[in-house]
Amino acid sequence: MTTGKNILVVGGAGFIGSHTTLALSEAGYNVTVYDNFSTGHRDACFDLDVVEGDLSDQPKLTAVLKDKDIACVVHFAALIEAGQSVIDPYAFYENNVAATLALLQAMRAADVGHLVFSSTAAVYGNQDVDMLSEDLPKQPVNPYGHSKLMVETVLQTAVDAYGLTSVALRYFNASGADAKGRTGERHDPETHLIPLLIQAALGQRDHFKIFGTDYDTPDGSCIRDYIHVSDLAAGHVAAVGYVLRRTQPSFEGMNLGTGTGHSVREVVDTVKRVSERDFRVDECPRRAGDPAKLVADSTRAQQALGWHAQHSDLDTIVRDAWHFFRTRNR
Ligand code: UDP
């Protein structure tokens, strides 16, 4: 199958990017990866067409968009750690906002009018609701969330000004790994919950720290909506098709989550059960910038994209991540 459409995946060598390039290729798109490999991995590009370059390199991006006759850009390249964003906010605004403007300018120069943008549940911050829907006020509690919200605002204004058609996918907690083990989560340093727990289960860390046990949640630890990365990848494929089919310029934010929340303590128990390993768990103070609870209402994505999570029950997520880490460490 081929759609004949050429897609540039910026940041395609990273965790969600590499799963999305697989899914786009399987859907028949021609994929070019654009990445500077600052955090991404060359072997996560498989046998795809790759251009090495910085997000801030507007002339290079313009040339690539023209040379490859790109129909749609999928943009993942960003700093992603909420905790780190509190410590070094300038870096987040520089990478996530200023460099994204270079990409948008390049798209304008090359006359590429379709974009799928990686956004985040962190745009919502703390809200007194059970599930987060897209129309709630956006009130990020960390610079990471602010940086993504700023780009969403830019995309909104680009509809009338430049005729851009875009979707911002607000992910909840990306997790799991490709079920065939072709790619998975490899951050260095690792800060994310499930990989850290698996490293503890593998004996690569001597203990795990729960950040905060005094939240206003049933067991006192934070609640998140963990979504399998292959479900996120499928959401991007659907969003690419959606923006390419639109007949008028538009911007929409859409949640990608499951609607089910799990506490940190529940995830700890699941990793211990799936891995059949025990490890030390310490209860520690809260990490700066963490909202107590983030759970998605994904009705909009279901209706607009025909998408729903299929691989995101917590056991499947942990099993696939465990399999990837164990295989990689043999
Ligand atoms: N977390 C934790 N210990 C760790 C890392 C994370 O307790 O060593 C918690 C964190 O406070 C949050 C949840 O696990 O409540 C998910 O954190 P992660 O960094 O994976 O994703 P985030 O929700 O920040 O995007």
Side-chain angles (χ1 to χ4, degrees), residues 173 191-193 196 208-211 222 224 264 287 290:
N173 284 62
T191 63
H192 291 99
L193 176 62
L196 288 175
F208 169 79
K209 295 178 180 172
I210 300 182
F211 293 143
C222 284
R224 294 287 181 273
V264 175
R287 184 173 70 177
D290 272 346

Side-chain angles (χ1 to χ4, degrees), residues 16-281:
I16 308 172
S18 63
H19 288 79
T20 300
T21 60
L22 282 176
L24 285 166
S25 301
E26 284 164 7
Y29 290 103
N30 307 314
V31 174
T32 297
V33 174
Y34 185 93
D35 206 298
N36 68 359
F37 297 102
S38 59
T39 56
H41 303 271
R42 284 176 200 278
D43 63 4
C45 298
F46 319 104
D47 56 357
L48 295 168
D49 181 35
V50 176
V51 177
E52 183 167 352
D54 280 326
L55 180 62
S56 56
D57 191 341
Q58 190 179 322
K60 185 166 198 163
L61 276 164
T62 306
V64 170
L65 291 166
K66 286 182 178 167
D67 291 350
K68 309 269 178 191
D69 192 22
I70 297 298
C72 179
V73 174
V74 184
H75 172 30
F76 292 102
L79 300 181
I80 57 166
E81 290 151 21
Q84 185 60 27
S85 79
V86 177
I87 295 164
D88 190 8
Y90 286 178
F92 280 69
Y93 296 122
E94 183 70 40
N95 280 272
N96 296 3
V97 184
T100 293
L101 279 173
L103 170 64
L104 294 173
Q105 294 275 25
M107 288 175 65
R108 194 172 164 228
D111 204 19
V112 177
H114 299 92
L115 173 71
V116 176
F117 173 64
S118 286
S119 189
T120 171
V123 299
Y124 296 111
N126 286 308
Q127 309 260 356
D128 198 13
V129 293
D130 276 341
M131 290 216 269
L132 297 163
S133 57
E134 287 86 353
D135 294 332
L136 286 166
K138 314 300 175 295
Q139 42 198 38
V141 295
N142 53 56
Y144 168 63
H146 278 290
S147 73
K148 292 288 185 176
L149 184 57
M150 285 177 190
V151 174
E152 288 200 17
T153 306
V154 171
L155 299 181
Q156 178 78 64
T157 55
V159 175
D160 287 341
Y162 311 119
L164 184 70
T165 302
S166 65
V167 165
L169 296 176
R170 298 180 189 141
Y171 321 142
F172 284 64
N173 284 62
S175 47
D178 177 57
K180 295 180 185 157
R182 294 171 292 181
T183 181
E185 194 162 9
R186 288 186 277 167
H187 299 119
D188 186 18
E190 188 52 75
T191 63
H192 291 99
L193 176 62
I194 293 174
L196 288 175
L197 286 167
I198 289 176
Q199 287 172 355
L202 287 168
Q204 295 168 355
R205 294 177 185 270
D206 67 358
H207 69 293
F208 169 79
K209 295 178 180 172
I210 300 182
F211 293 143
T213 52
D214 60 347
Y215 284 96
D216 185 15
T217 58
D219 70 18
S221 65
C222 284
I223 293 177
R224 294 287 181 273
D225 184 338
Y226 295 91
I227 171 116
H228 197 293
V229 63
S230 296
D231 281 333
L232 290 180
H236 287 79
V237 175
V240 166
Y242 179 80
V243 293
L244 289 173
R245 281 193 307 274
R246 305 287 288 170
T247 51
Q248 294 293 324
S250 60
F251 167 78
E252 283 160 280
M254 295 184 197
N255 293 339
L256 294 184
T258 68
T260 301
H262 296 284
S263 72
V264 175
R265 289 188 197 278
E266 272 181 81
V267 181
V268 172
D269 291 346
T270 306
V271 171
K272 287 187 175 183
R273 180 167 44 74
V274 168
S275 67
E276 300 178 327
R277 310 269 176 103
D278 201 9
F279 47 87
R280 196 180 108 202
V281 175

